[in-house]
Amino acid sequence: QYLQDNKKTIAVQINGKLKDIFEADVNASKSDLESQALALEKVQKHIDNITIKKLIIIPGKIVNVVV
């Protein structure tokens, strides 16, 4: 109980290429991970004025944005 981490490092990819990482709660929902990932400055720069085709979220590991 005391040795478990409460945070996980989540990778954010755009079209399969790593763009940024962030820390999220271990029990964060998919919608929380999505909002945190899309709010990142580096991600915003790449998806500005582009429609997102698909969003793949694997809780505790990765958020992949397909544009």
Side-chain angles (χ1 to χ4, degrees), residues 12-16 30 34 37-38 43 47 50-58 62-67:
V12 181
Q13 293 182 341
I14 298 178
N15 290 336
K30 285 187 175 187
E34 176 184 349
L38 295 179
V43 174
I47 62 170
I50 298 174
T51 57
I52 296 173
K53 293 181 184 173
K54 192 173 188 181
L55 201 59
I56 302 165
I57 301 170
I58 301 172
I62 195 167
V63 176
N64 192 352
V65 181
V66 180
V67 293

Side-chain angles (χ1 to χ4, degrees), residues 1-53:
Q1 175 183 352
Y2 297 109
L3 298 177
Q4 292 178 345
D5 284 337
N6 292 337
K7 299 272 185 185
K8 278 280 208 177
T9 301
I10 309 293
V12 181
Q13 293 182 341
I14 298 178
N15 290 336
K17 296 184 176 124
L18 182 67
K19 298 298 177 186
D20 207 354
I21 57 173
F22 67 95
E23 293 281 325
D25 191 41
V26 172
N27 299 322
S29 67
K30 285 187 175 187
S31 60
D32 290 340
L33 293 176
E34 176 184 349
S35 61
Q36 288 180 349
L38 295 179
L40 295 171
E41 185 178 330
K42 291 180 183 178
V43 174
Q44 285 289 322
K45 184 173 70 172
H46 290 284
I47 62 170
D48 192 30
N49 297 327
I50 298 174
T51 57
I52 296 173
K53 293 181 184 173

